[in-house]
Amino acid sequence: MTNHELLAGFLDRSLSEDQLLEFEARQLADPAFAHEVKEMLTVERLLQQEPPRVDYPVGFLATIESNIAAKVAVGAAGGGLLGFLAHNAWTWIVGSTAAAAISGGALYFATRDSEPAPQTPVQERIQSAPARPTLEEPLPAQTPTAEAPIAATPSVTPVPSADRPITIDAKTTAPDPVLKQLIVEYEQCNTTNDHVRCAQYSLLLGRRFRSDGNTSEARQYLESAIRHAQTVRLVDYEMDAHGELGLLAKSRGDLDGATRSFERAIDIGRTHKRSVVRWTQELESLQQ
Amino acid sequence: MPYTLLTDEELFAMVRDQNDEQAFRALFKRYDKRVYAYCLRALGSHDDAQDVFQTIQLTVYDKRASFNDGSFAAWLFTIARNFCLKTLRGRKHNVEITDEVVTVEPEDTHSSDFLLRQALHKAIGQLPDEFREALSMKYFDDLPYEDIAAALDITVALAKVRVFRAKKLIQQTMSTIIDELR
C-alpha cells in the first residue's frame, strides 16, 4: 500500500492491525509523512467538529412541511376521505335499517348509547397514538342516536391573532353523522391550532353546507377555511375556498359577489401557478 | 406508533403506501435541515435554496411511487443534487461558499480555532466541484460513502478517493497556517 492509501484507511478507521503497524512504521521512518499525517488529522478534526453553521429559515421549513403534509393528507382523503364519507353514510343506513327491523329504533338507540362499539385495531392505534390520526384512518363508525338534533346557527368569531383558534359555534340542524363527525374533527384541530387540518375540514364543511343549501353555515366555514389556509399558506385551499364562496353567492343570485370570489380564486391560482380552469369556467358561465 | 424507531425506508413506505401524514412529518424532520444546508451550500443564497428546497420536497412526494428499494437518503440527495445542478446550469456560473452560508459563532472570534476554521472554509471554497461535493456530503450531510456514491452516481471507491483528495487539498492549502498555529 502507498502512504496515501494507508493514510486514507487510517482516517476512515478501516486499517487492519497489520496495516496499522505498517502505518506507524512508515511514520517513524519518514518524518515528512508523519508531519503530513499530523496536518491531515488537524483537518479531519476541523471537518468533524465544524460543519458550516447555517441560519435555517425555521418558518419556511415549517411551512413546506405543512404544505406537503397537507398533500399527504389529501392523498389519503382522495380515497380515504371519500371512503370515510361513504363508510359513514353506509354505516348510518345499515345501522338504521337493522335497528328498525330487529328491535325498533328506540331500543336500538338506547343500546347504542350504553354500549360502545368494539374498537378495530386501527381505532385502538389512533387512540393510543400520541400523534393525530390521519384522514386515511377510518373514524369511529357513526350510528344514529335518539338524542335531539343539535340546532344552532354557526357564528364565526374574528381572530385577532393567527395563533389563536378560530372559533365556530357550528351545529347542524340535520342528524347527519358525517357532518357531525367533520365538525368534531374541525373543533379538535382548532383547539390545537392545526391550521392544515382545520383548512381541510372547514373547506369540506363549507362545501357540504353549501350543497345542503345552508348558506350561512357554508359561508362561515368557507371564510374560516380561507383564514386557516392563509395562516399556513395553503394556496390550493385558499383558492378553492374563494371559488366555493363564488358558487355560494351564485346560488343566492348574488352575481357580483360570485364574480368577485371567482376572480379572487383565479388571481390566487395564477399568482401561485395553480390550475384555474374550474374557476375560470365558473366565471365565464356567469358572464354568458 | 414510535416513528422514531422506524428506518427512513419504513417511514417513506408508510407515506407512499398509506398516506401517513405523521410518518411524512417524522421523515421530513430527519432531513429538512440537511437538505436545506446542502442547497444553500450548492447555490449560495437563501432565496435560491428555498426555491430549490421546495421543489425537491414536492418532487420527492410526487415521485414517491418511483422509490422502491435502496437508501432513501441517497435517493433524496440524488434529487437534491439534480435540482441544484439544474439551477446552477441556469445561472451559468459557479458559486462558492460565502459568508452568508457560513456563520461562525461570535464567541470564538479570538481563538486560534477561529482562524483555522476560516482557513478551512476558504480552502473548501477553493476545491474543485466534484471534490467539494463529495466532502460536503461526507462531513456536513453526514452521509455514508455508499449513499454518497449513489447520489453522485459513482462507485464507492471513487467516492472515497474524492473525499480523501479533497482533504489532501485542504491540508496542502492550510499547511502554513496549521504549522503557524501549532
Side-chain angles (χ1 to χ4, degrees):
Chain A
M1 291 179 86
T2 66
N3 280 357
H4 280 171
E5 286 171 340
L6 284 172
L7 178 54
F10 176 73
L11 294 174
D12 285 338
R13 297 178 177 82
S14 61
L15 294 184
S16 65
E17 276 191 31
D18 288 344
Q19 289 168 335
L20 271 173
L21 290 173
E22 176 67 19
F23 180 65
E24 294 296 331
R26 292 205 196 172
Q27 285 189 76
L28 288 172
D30 184 351
F33 180 56
H35 181 74
E36 184 183 349
V37 170
K38 283 182 182 175
E39 289 188 347
M40 285 293 277
L41 284 171
T42 302
V43 170
E44 185 76 17
R45 177 180 63 82
L46 288 169
L47 284 169
Q48 288 184 350
Q49 291 179 352
E50 295 301 327
R53 295 183 189 282
V54 174
D55 295 326
Y56 295 105
V58 178
F60 167 78
L61 296 176
T63 300
I64 298 297
E65 179 187 345
S66 291
N67 286 352
I68 302 176
K71 282 174 74 85
V72 175
V74 169
L81 187 59
L82 289 176
F84 147 70
L85 294 172
H87 166 79
N88 282 277
W90 181 243
T91 305
W92 196 91
I93 293 165
V94 171
S96 301
T97 307
I102 296 170
S103 59
L107 176 60
Y108 173 74
F109 294 146
T111 306
R112 294 297 300 175
D113 283 344
S114 59
E115 295 176 13
Q119 289 184 325
T120 66
V122 171
Q123 289 164 358
E124 287 172 358
R125 185 162 72 88
I126 291 170
Q127 290 197 354
S128 63
R132 297 182 299 276
T134 66
L135 280 174
E136 169 201 45
E137 292 161 333
L139 294 158
Q142 297 299 303
T143 51
T145 68
E147 62 191 55
I150 307 164
T153 301
S155 62
V156 176
T157 306
V159 184
S161 160
D163 292 334
R164 292 182 58 182
I166 296 170
T167 55
I168 297 182
D169 181 22
K171 298 176 179 68
T172 174
T173 53
D176 183 336
V178 176
L179 210 51
K180 284 165 65 178
Q181 185 63 41
L182 285 173
I183 292 170
V184 168
E185 293 290 332
Y186 173 77
E187 288 171 350
Q188 283 176 353
C189 67
N190 207 13
T191 57
T192 56
N193 278 322
D194 186 346
H195 294 288
V196 174
R197 282 180 175 274
C198 279
Q200 294 167 357
Y201 283 119
S202 50
L203 181 57
L204 280 170
L205 282 162
R207 278 183 184 146
R208 182 95 182 192
F209 277 120
R210 180 182 63 75
S211 65
D212 290 348
N214 292 328
T215 306
S216 175
E217 292 89 337
R219 184 174 56 79
Q220 304 287 6
Y221 275 108
L222 292 172
E223 288 173 351
S224 298
I226 291 170
R227 285 195 292 274
H228 288 300
Q230 286 174 337
T231 303
V232 286
R233 298 187 202 173
L234 288 174
V235 175
D236 299 273
Y237 290 107
E238 187 185 354
M239 176 180 70
D240 284 348
H242 278 291
E244 290 286 338
L245 278 174
L247 292 174
L248 190 65
K250 183 182 170 185
S251 69
R252 296 197 327 265
D254 177 7
L255 299 186
D256 287 342
T259 300
R260 281 195 300 274
S261 292
F262 289 142
E263 285 176 344
R264 182 73 186 121
I266 293 166
D267 183 47
I268 291 168
R270 284 185 178 152
T271 301
H272 296 89
K273 298 177 181 172
R274 300 298 201 275
S275 171
V276 294
V277 172
R278 183 183 176 196
W279 305 124
T280 304
Q281 288 173 344
E282 291 290 351
L283 182 62
E284 287 170 355
S285 73
L286 281 184
Q287 294 166 345
Q288 285 169 359
Chain B
M1 178 169 290
Y3 288 104
T4 52
L5 299 179
L6 299 177
T7 65
D8 295 344
E9 291 73 27
E10 288 169 336
L11 284 174
F12 193 70
M14 292 171 73
V15 176
R16 182 191 58 207
D17 302 334
Q18 302 167 30
N19 288 301
D20 190 319
E21 183 189 336
Q22 295 306 316
F24 163 76
R25 288 180 183 275
L27 190 55
F28 184 91
K29 283 185 168 59
R30 285 187 190 177
Y31 285 100
D32 62 343
K33 290 185 172 60
R34 285 158 69 180
V35 172
Y36 185 82
Y38 177 86
C39 296
L40 190 55
R41 280 197 309 276
L43 303 173
S45 84
H46 280 284
D47 283 346
D48 285 344
Q50 290 187 12
D51 284 347
V52 172
F53 177 85
Q54 182 168 4
T55 306
I56 292 164
Q57 296 298 339
L58 287 169
T59 301
V60 166
Y61 180 68
D62 290 342
K63 302 286 184 188
R64 60 195 182 282
S66 67
F67 177 79
N68 289 316
D69 55 10
S71 162
F72 171 77
W75 185 64
L76 172 63
F77 275 90
T78 301
I79 292 171
R81 180 172 183 262
N82 287 341
F83 277 110
C84 287
L85 287 175
K86 191 176 174 184
T87 304
L88 287 171
R89 283 192 207 106
R91 284 195 210 156
K92 298 187 185 303
H93 68 83
N94 294 326
V95 178
E96 294 182 352
I97 289 179
T98 66
D99 289 342
E100 185 183 15
V101 179
V102 181
T103 308
V104 180
E105 290 176 337
E107 60 265 31
D108 292 333
T109 51
H110 298 295
S111 70
S112 60
D113 265 9
F114 171 72
L115 297 174
L116 282 172
R117 280 200 295 275
Q118 273 197 321
L120 175 70
H121 297 148
K122 187 177 176 184
I124 292 171
Q126 292 171 350
L127 289 173
D129 287 345
E130 67 268 27
F131 291 172
R132 183 172 63 235
E133 193 170 32
L135 182 90
S136 298
M137 285 181 161
K138 173 69 180 165
Y139 287 94
F140 306 148
D141 303 324
D142 202 24
L143 294 178
Y145 283 117
E146 289 76 13
D147 287 354
I148 296 171
L152 299 180
D153 196 21
I154 57 178
T155 64
V156 174
L158 186 53
K160 288 181 178 179
V161 167
R162 285 188 184 178
V163 171
F164 178 75
R165 287 188 180 167
K167 288 190 286 190
K168 195 75 187 76
L169 285 170
I170 291 171
Q171 176 253 325
Q172 288 167 354
T173 304
M174 293 181 63
S175 181
T176 306
I177 191 169
I178 290 173
D179 287 344
E180 284 176 358
L181 294 174
R182 183 173 293 155

